[in-house]
Amino acid sequence: MKNLLMILVLFTLGCKTNSNENQITMETKIEEPSIEQEQKAIKGVLLQLFSATDNRNWDGVKATMNDSVYADYSALGGEAAFKTPDEILNGWKQLLPGFERTVHQPHNFAIWVAGNRATATLDAIATHFLEDDFWTVFVGYDTEFIKQNGQWKLARIDLSLYDQTGNGQLPQMAMEHVKNGTIPPLVEAKNVASIEKFFTSLEEQDLEGVLSSLDENVVQEMPFAPKNFPKSLVGLKAMRNQYTGVMDYTQKYDREYFGTANPNVIIAKFNGTITTGEGKPYNNSYVGIYTISENGKIKKFIEHFNPDILLNGWPGLQPEIYSVHAAGARTDSGVTQEKVAFSSNGVLLKGHLFLPPNFDGGKKYPTAIVTGSWTSVKEQMPDEYASLLAKDGFITLTFDFTGFGESEGQPRFLEDYHLKITDIKAAVDYLSQHPNVDIENVTGLGVCASSGYMAHATAQDERIKKLVLVAPWLHNAEIARMIYDMRPGGTDGLLQAAKEAKINYAETGVMEYVLAASELDPLSAMYVPENAFDYYLNPSKAAGPKYANLFAVSSWEPWLTFDGISAGKEIEQPVFIVHSESGAVPQGAKEFYELLKGEKQIKWLNDFDQQQLYFEADAVNTAIGEVVAYLKK
C-alpha cells in the first residue's frame, strides 16, 4: 500500500493597520466559528440535501453541492465518478420523481473538521413508496465537504448498503413513470389522528391510549429488527405484551408526516428520545408506514429503524459482535468483555479485557495485548483480533492509546511512538497485577503501524515473552522519505510543519489538525483517492462515532523519524509475522525479519491485501488461525 501525502503549509492570517501619528500596529481579529458551530453547519447541509431531495426541490439540492462532486452509488447499481451537480441531479430526476414519496431519515452523524475540510459519516433509512408498495434501504453515507466563501459544500458522497426490504422492482416502475410523464404529485398527509394518538399515548405512558389507537387485528412489522427482537407483532394481545414493558420509559417523538396517493396510507419520519426503565438512553430514528382502517384506527404499520442502535440501547440486548467489524467474536460465543482502566505516565487509559469461554477464576491463562493501526481505536481491529484470540482460550487486552478514543491525554490524536511504547509497557504493568494472567506467557500482538511500537516495547520489556505482528507497517526514516517525498514539499516540508505546530501548541495550547483520511484532501495524513483504501472513511468498515478522523500535525516529526525496523536487532523473544506481499511496506517487514537473531517465523498470506487483513472475515480468520496455531504449538 502506498499513501500519497501532500505537504501541510501553515498560514497565519492577520490584518494590520498603522496609525501615521503613533505608528502603533493594530491587529484586527475575526472570530472564527467554533468546531461545534462548523459541525452544526455541516449537519445542516446534509439535512437540507435529504429534505430537498424528498420534496423535489432540485435547486435546494444543488445549493448543497460543490462545483464537482465525487459520487459513488455503486452499492445500488450506480457508478462512481466525479460529476457536476447538474449531472447528479439529471440522474436522480430520472428515478426519484417516479415515486409517490421518498422519505430519507439521516441520523447517527459523526463529523470531523480540520480547517476548510471536513468528513462526515452517517446512517440513513430511505423509504420509497409507490402504488401501495414500498422499497426501503438501510444505508451508510461517507461524505466530504469543502468550505468556500464561508459556506460548506458537499464534495463527495459514497453510499454503503447495509440492508434492504420490500419490493426491489419499484425503482424500475418509478423510472417508467418518469419516462412516460406520469409523475405522481406530492400529497399532504391528512388522516393522521390515530397515529397522533399512538405517539401522544406513548409520550404520556398511557398503555390503554396506545391500544385504543390500534385496530383489533393490527399488525406491526419490523423488517430490520435484529435477532432476539420480534420481526412482527399480530393482534392487540401481542401489542399489549410488547408495549406494557415500555410504559415506564420516558419518551419523546419528533415526527413529520407524508401523504401518499392512498389517503389511508401515511408515512411518518420520527426520532425517539427515550430513557429506559434502567435509566439508559435509547435514541433511535425511524421511518414508519401506517395503514388506517375504515374505523379510523391503525391496522398495519411497518416500522424501519436502525438495528445497531437498538442492540446498543435496548434493555436485554447487546451488539452481536465484539468489534465494529463483523469478523470479531460473537457476543454469544462465550467470550466476555470487561471495561478496564489503568494509568500510563499519569494518564488514564481506557481498555477492554476479554475473557475466554468457561472462564475459571482459579486458573491462569495465556495472555495477549492487542494494538491496531495508526490513529485507530480499540473498537476497530484490536477488539476484533483480541476477541477471536479470547475465543481460543486467551485473556486479551485492548486499549486506547494516550490522546485517542476514550483515553485521556492532550493534545488529542497525536501519533507519537514515545507515548505509544510507554502505553504498551503500562498495559503489561496492568496485566502483571491480574490474578488470572500467566505473566510467563504474555504475547504482544501488533497490527499494522503499532507493530513497530510493539516491537520496541518487546525489546525493552522482557515480560513480553512473544511478539506477533499482523500486516505490519514497519518503516524507518529512509523508507519514510521514499514514501513521503512523493508529496509536493516532501518529507522536509512535513517536518517543518510539525515543528511549527509543536511550537504553536506550546505557546497557545492549540494544536493544528488535518484530516486523518480523505479521498479529496491532499493535505490529509492518508490521502487515498477514489476508494483506493476507504477503511477509515467507510461507515461499513471503521468510520463512525467511535473513530475520530483527525491527525495532529506535530505527529509528522515522530512518525517520519521513527525506526520500527531497528528493534529487530534488540529482540531476543520469539517472533511470528503474518503479512502479505500486497500489504503495507512488505520490504520493511523483510528487513526487520532479517535483523532478528532468535526464533522467528513469517507466514505470507498473499491472497489478501492490507485492508482485508483489517476487517474482512476470510482474511482475519485465516490470520488469527495462523496466530493461534503458532501460540499453541
Side-chain angles (χ1 to χ4, degrees):
M1 181 192 70
K2 186 177 291 183
N3 290 334
L4 303 177
L5 300 165
M6 301 287 292
I7 182 172
L8 174 71
V9 181
L10 301 177
F11 291 99
T12 302
L13 180 62
C15 177
K16 295 185 178 181
T17 61
N18 292 325
S19 164
N20 291 331
E21 180 179 354
N22 299 316
Q23 296 294 308
I24 297 174
T25 300
M26 302 295 295
E27 197 172 277
T28 302
K29 294 184 178 179
I30 300 174
E31 185 173 344
E32 296 293 333
S34 68
I35 293 298
E36 291 77 14
Q37 289 171 323
E38 300 283 36
Q39 291 171 328
K40 183 179 179 180
I42 290 167
K43 183 177 179 179
V45 174
L46 286 165
L47 292 175
Q48 178 180 331
L49 170 70
F50 292 112
S51 177
T53 298
D54 289 339
N55 288 288
R56 304 176 189 169
N57 175 7
W58 305 119
D59 287 339
V61 175
K62 185 176 179 179
T64 68
M65 295 183 178
N66 189 44
D67 292 340
S68 176
V69 180
Y70 185 81
D72 184 352
Y73 278 75
S74 56
L76 291 177
E79 60 179 350
F82 281 99
K83 296 182 178 181
T84 67
D86 286 333
E87 288 172 331
I88 292 173
L89 292 180
N90 287 339
W92 290 3
K93 288 178 182 178
Q94 295 176 37
L95 169 65
L96 298 180
F99 295 105
E100 294 171 30
R101 274 291 180 185
T102 62
V103 177
H104 287 81
Q105 175 63 293
H107 60 283
N108 204 27
F109 295 87
I111 301 170
W112 306 102
V113 180
N116 67 346
R117 298 280 185 155
T119 62
T121 61
L122 61 145
D123 296 327
I125 296 164
T127 291
H128 309 74
F129 192 87
L130 180 62
E131 298 178 8
D132 285 336
D133 207 349
F134 73 95
W135 172 58
T136 297
V137 293
F138 174 37
V139 298
Y141 287 100
D142 163 23
T143 64
E144 292 197 46
F145 291 82
I146 298 174
K147 192 174 187 181
Q148 296 179 333
N149 299 319
Q151 300 294 318
W152 288 102
K153 297 291 184 178
L154 179 71
R156 182 175 64 81
I157 182 167
D158 291 1
L159 178 145
S160 298
L161 178 63
Y162 300 151
D163 202 355
Q164 60 182 310
T165 185
N167 184 353
Q169 299 303 312
L170 286 191
Q172 184 61 43
M173 295 168 58
M175 285 190 287
E176 289 296 323
H177 275 289
V178 175
K179 182 178 179 181
N180 296 331
T182 56
I183 296 176
L186 297 178
V187 177
E188 182 182 352
K190 295 181 178 180
N191 193 7
V192 300
S194 59
I195 308 173
E196 267 298 292
K197 174 68 173 177
F198 176 77
F199 282 118
T200 300
S201 297
L202 284 173
E203 292 174 335
E204 295 175 350
Q205 299 171 284
D206 177 9
L207 177 61
E208 296 308 317
V210 170
L211 297 175
S212 70
S213 70
L214 307 176
D215 187 85
E216 63 180 351
N217 297 313
V218 66
V219 175
Q220 178 180 359
E221 296 179 357
M222 294 164 279
F224 295 144
K227 295 178 181 179
N228 302 322
F229 198 83
K231 289 278 189 182
S232 65
L233 301 168
V234 180
L236 282 177
K237 182 178 180 180
M239 298 295 288
R240 178 181 290 275
N241 291 338
Q242 178 71 12
Y243 283 87
T244 295
V246 303
M247 284 302 105
D248 61 344
Y249 298 2
T250 57
Q251 305 175 55
K252 174 65 178 176
Y253 296 94
D254 296 321
R255 47 203 182 264
E256 183 178 3
Y257 299 117
F258 304 87
T260 70
N262 184 341
N264 292 319
V265 178
I266 296 95
I267 302 174
K269 177 172 73 172
F270 55 103
N271 294 293
T273 304
I274 299 170
T275 302
T276 69
E278 302 170 349
K280 187 176 181 180
Y282 170 64
N283 305 322
N284 213 331
S285 297
Y286 306 77
V287 175
I289 305 172
Y290 295 80
T291 303
I292 309 303
S293 66
E294 293 181 357
N295 62 12
K297 297 188 176 185
I298 300 169
K299 70 176 181 181
K300 182 177 181 180
F301 63 106
I302 303 168
E303 190 176 80
H304 305 100
F305 52 77
N306 186 323
D308 298 322
I309 294 177
L310 181 80
L311 288 170
N312 281 280
W314 196 262
L317 299 181
Q318 62 179 346
E320 295 179 355
I321 306 293
Y322 281 126
S323 172
V324 296
H325 306 317
R330 292 186 57 84
T331 52
D332 60 5
S333 64
V335 173
T336 56
Q337 180 199 85
E338 296 179 355
K339 293 184 178 181
V340 300
F342 57 93
S343 177
S344 174
N345 201 27
V347 175
L348 186 67
L349 305 186
K350 299 290 185 70
H352 291 156
L353 190 72
F354 293 92
L355 304 177
N358 304 311
F359 176 73
D360 183 347
K363 289 178 56 177
K364 291 187 180 293
Y365 290 84
T367 302
I369 302 168
V370 184
T371 55
S373 62
W374 74 331
T375 78
S376 68
V377 291
K378 60 186 179 298
E379 289 82 5
Q380 296 168 331
M381 70 282 284
D383 277 0
E384 176 183 52
Y385 276 89
S387 63
L388 291 172
L389 264 182
K391 186 179 175 182
D392 273 293
F394 293 78
I395 290 176
T396 54
L397 174 67
T398 66
F399 62 93
D400 290 323
F401 285 107
T402 295
F404 288 87
E406 295 180 314
S407 290
E408 296 178 352
Q410 294 291 338
R412 305 297 293 174
F413 322 123
L414 175 61
E415 191 71 31
D416 188 331
Y417 67 89
H418 301 96
L419 294 174
K420 292 197 167 186
I421 293 170
T422 298
D423 290 349
I424 292 170
K425 292 190 288 185
V428 180
D429 291 339
Y430 168 77
L431 289 173
S432 68
Q433 302 301 313
H434 195 286
N436 300 108
V437 168
D438 181 358
I439 196 61
E440 296 302 320
N441 196 354
V442 174
T443 296
L445 193 162
V447 180
C448 193
S450 71
S451 293
Y453 311 145
M454 190 66 77
H456 275 281
T458 301
Q460 296 171 23
D461 196 330
E462 62 182 12
R463 294 174 299 175
I464 301 176
K465 302 302 181 183
K466 292 180 181 178
L467 174 65
V468 174
L469 307 180
V470 176
W473 172 296
L474 290 165
H475 73 271
N476 54 23
E478 181 182 359
I479 291 176
R481 186 168 288 275
M482 290 172 58
I483 296 171
Y484 293 96
D485 269 354
M486 291 187 293
R487 298 167 54 118
T491 304
D492 291 336
L494 291 174
L495 290 171
Q496 180 63 29
K499 179 181 178 181
E500 293 177 14
K502 188 174 181 179
I503 292 172
N504 183 67
Y505 181 74
E507 293 176 347
T508 68
V510 177
M511 176 55 69
E512 299 282 348
Y513 293 98
V514 293
L515 295 175
S518 170
E519 293 187 21
L520 300 179
D521 185 6
L523 302 183
S524 64
M526 292 175 280
Y527 173 48
V528 280
E530 300 184 25
N531 286 332
F533 192 90
D534 66 345
Y535 175 81
Y536 299 95
L537 295 168
N538 191 328
S540 70
K541 296 178 182 177
K546 297 285 186 183
Y547 175 72
N549 189 31
L550 293 173
F551 183 83
V553 172
S554 64
S555 303
W556 285 123
E557 188 276 328
W559 176 253
L560 294 171
T561 59
F562 178 55
D563 187 347
I565 295 172
S566 64
K569 61 187 178 183
E570 307 295 334
I571 294 173
E572 298 180 356
Q573 300 95 317
V575 178
F576 181 59
I577 300 173
V578 178
H579 207 3
S580 169
E581 292 285 1
S582 301
V585 286
Q587 70 270 26
K590 293 173 183 177
E591 291 181 21
F592 173 82
Y593 189 77
E594 290 302 314
L595 291 176
L596 295 169
K597 300 175 182 178
E599 178 186 330
K600 59 184 179 180
Q601 184 179 344
I602 190 167
K603 179 72 176 182
W604 294 96
L605 303 179
N606 292 330
D607 290 337
F608 308 112
D609 62 25
Q610 188 77 8
Q611 185 173 208
Q612 290 173 310
L613 287 166
Y614 287 174
F615 77 98
E616 285 192 5
D618 286 349
V620 171
N621 288 332
T622 301
I624 203 70
E626 296 287 349
V627 170
V628 170
Y630 170 78
L631 293 177
K632 286 190 171 183
K633 69 179 182 179

